[in-house]
Amino acid sequence: MDMQTSFLDRLFDSGLLIETGVDGLYGRSGQFEDVIAAFERLIDKFGGADGAEAIRFPPGMNRAFFEKSGYMKSFPQLAGTVHSFCGSELDHMSLLKCMEVGEDWTKDQEATDIVLTPAACYPLYPTVAKRGHLPESGALFDLQSYCFRHEPSKDPARQQLFRMREYVCMGTDKHVTDFRQNWMDRGVEMMKAVGLDVTIDVANDPFFGRAGKMLANNQRDQNLKFELLIPITSTAKPTACMSFNYHQDAFGAKWGLNFEDGSVAHTACVGFGLERIALALFHAHGLDIKEWPESVRKPLWG
Ligand code: ATP
Ligand code: ZN
Ligand code: MG
C-alpha cells in the first residue's frame, strides 16, 4: 500500500472524511468542518480590512457564461455539466426499462442551463461586467464556493468537489500585481502562524492537449501563476494549497471589464484550497484536533 492510500484510509478510519464509494467525493465530519471554519476566520482576519465585497454563488453557474469563459478550450477533461430528464411519459418508461436491465439510462439526459462551477471566480466576471464601468480605484471581491473538477484520485488532497475561498482584484496592472504579491506574503505568514512548512513556486495550469503545453510554458515564462505548497501526501512533492493568478487583461477583455475611459482592466485572483489546508493541518499536527499544539490552536480558535 502506498503512502497516499494510507493517509486516505487513516482519514476514513478517524471519521474526518466519509467514504461515498467515489474517489474524490467525500463527506466531512464536524471536526473537519471546524478546522475549515477556523481557517476561514483566519483568512478574514488577514483580508478583512481590505474592504472586499463578499459574494457567495452556489456551486453551479450559468452555462452560457461557462461557454464564453473558454473553459472547454483549456480544460475539457475537468468540466462537469448538469443534465436532466426532459422527456415525455413514454420516454420515462424507456428510461426506467433501461435502468432495470442495466443499460446506460443517462444517454438521453439533456443539458440544463447549469454547469458545475470549476473555480470560485468564474461566475464573478460576467456579474461585475453587467454593473458597468469599474471605478478608477478598482474592485475587490471575497468569494467562496464548492468547485467541481473531474479528476478522481486516491489522493485525499485531490477531490472532485472541494471548496475554494478566493479574493479577486480588478484594476490596473500595478494594482492587481501588488494585490497578488501582498497575498503571497500573507499566505506565507498565515501558514507559518499555524505551524505549516511552506514554499512558493511558479506553476502552470494543466491545459489540455499538445497546444496546451505551449499555453502552460507561456504561463510559466511570464510568471502568471504561483502556488503555495505544503507537504500533505508527499514531502518530495508538496501540494498546492493556495494559488496566485495574474490574468493580465485577458478576462478584462473577454468580459468587457472597462474603466470609464474605455481602457481594459487587469485582474488577478488568489485561491485558498480549503480542504487541502485542513488536510495539511491534520497531516502536520495529527488527526485529533484536541492534541494539536497550543501554538496552533490559538491562532485558529483564540
Ligand atoms: P493542482 O495543480 O494541484 O491540480 P490547480 O493548479 O489545478 O492545482 P487551481 O486551479 O489554482 O489549482 O485552484 C485553486 C486552489 O484550489 C489550489 O491552489 C488548490 O489548493 C485547490 N484545488 C485545486 N484542485 C483541487 C482538487 N482537485 N481538490 C482539492 N483542492 C483543489
Ligand atoms: Zn480565480
Ligand atoms: Mg488542477
Side-chain angles (χ1 to χ4, degrees):
M1 197 190 285
D2 61 13
M3 283 294 288
Q4 69 192 32
T5 311
S6 71
F7 186 48
L8 182 59
D9 284 339
R10 284 170 56 220
L11 290 160
F12 289 154
D13 291 344
S14 65
L16 286 165
L17 292 185
I18 297 142
E19 242 175 312
T20 68
V22 177
D23 289 341
L25 182 72
Y26 308 122
R28 295 95 163 88
S29 73
Q31 277 217 9
F32 193 91
E33 290 303 295
D34 282 348
V35 171
I36 289 197
F39 195 85
E40 283 212 83
R41 286 194 300 271
L42 190 63
I43 298 174
D44 294 338
K45 215 178 270 172
F46 275 75
D50 299 347
E53 176 184 341
I55 303 182
R56 296 293 180 264
F57 291 103
M61 66 180 285
N62 184 331
R63 174 155 64 96
F65 293 156
F66 173 84
E67 287 165 1
K68 183 167 169 180
S69 77
Y71 196 82
M72 291 307 284
K73 278 190 202 148
S74 298
F75 314 111
Q77 77 282 20
L78 299 176
T81 53
V82 177
H83 281 62
S84 280
F85 171 75
C86 302
S88 63
E89 269 189 72
L90 206 66
D91 297 325
H92 183 215
M93 300 239 293
S94 63
L95 172 106
L96 293 180
K97 184 103 228 169
C98 237
M99 291 183 91
E100 211 176 280
V101 299
E103 274 171 19
D104 181 11
W105 61 274
T106 62
K107 60 184 187 304
D108 291 325
Q109 296 280 100
E110 284 180 34
T112 67
D113 288 336
I114 297 174
V115 172
L116 296 176
T117 305
C121 64
Y122 270 65
L124 181 70
Y125 306 104
T127 303
V128 175
K130 228 174 89 185
R131 291 180 178 178
H133 294 130
L134 273 184
E136 209 66 50
S137 54
L140 182 65
F141 301 92
D142 160 356
L143 309 173
Q144 199 252 51
S145 176
Y146 258 101
C147 298
F148 174 85
R149 294 186 186 177
H150 185 233
E151 46 186 2
S153 171
K154 298 274 186 210
D155 178 351
R158 189 169 298 287
Q159 304 191 4
Q160 298 199 65
L161 275 159
F162 59 94
R163 273 159 294 179
M164 213 185 275
R165 176 80 181 267
E166 277 201 53
Y167 284 99
V168 182
C169 185
M170 305 176 179
T172 61
D173 175 348
K174 167 99 170 69
H175 180 172
V176 308
T177 50
D178 285 352
F179 154 86
R180 183 173 74 152
Q181 184 58 52
N182 186 19
W183 272 110
M184 285 202 254
D185 299 339
R186 284 172 173 177
V188 172
E189 202 186 323
M190 290 171 75
M191 300 306 175
K192 278 215 178 110
V194 293
L196 294 173
D197 262 339
V198 309
T199 52
I200 288 201
D201 203 358
V202 66
N204 63 267
D205 288 312
F207 297 102
F208 186 77
R210 219 177 318 154
K213 286 253 156 43
M214 274 171 45
L215 290 174
N217 288 335
N218 183 49
Q219 190 183 30
R220 256 175 193 276
D221 293 344
Q222 295 192 261
N223 287 341
L224 297 183
K225 185 182 182 88
F226 288 93
E227 288 176 341
L228 181 151
L229 307 156
I230 311 177
I232 300 181
T233 30
S234 146
T235 14
K237 278 190 72 187
T239 302
C241 292
M242 288 183 73
S243 71
F244 311 88
N245 306 285
Y246 175 36
H247 317 121
Q248 299 171 303
D249 63 357
F251 288 0
K254 178 181 296 289
W255 295 107
L257 300 165
N258 301 317
F259 293 109
E260 196 152 10
D261 68 4
S263 60
V264 178
H266 285 232
T267 62
C269 69
V270 168
F272 294 84
L274 296 176
E275 283 76 10
R276 285 188 179 179
I277 292 167
L279 290 169
L281 287 164
F282 284 114
H283 177 76
H285 306 309
L287 299 188
D288 186 354
I289 300 174
K290 293 191 295 296
E291 308 280 301
W292 288 7
E294 199 43 44
S295 60
V296 172
R297 294 180 51 87
K298 189 130 190 288
L300 290 171
W301 288 285

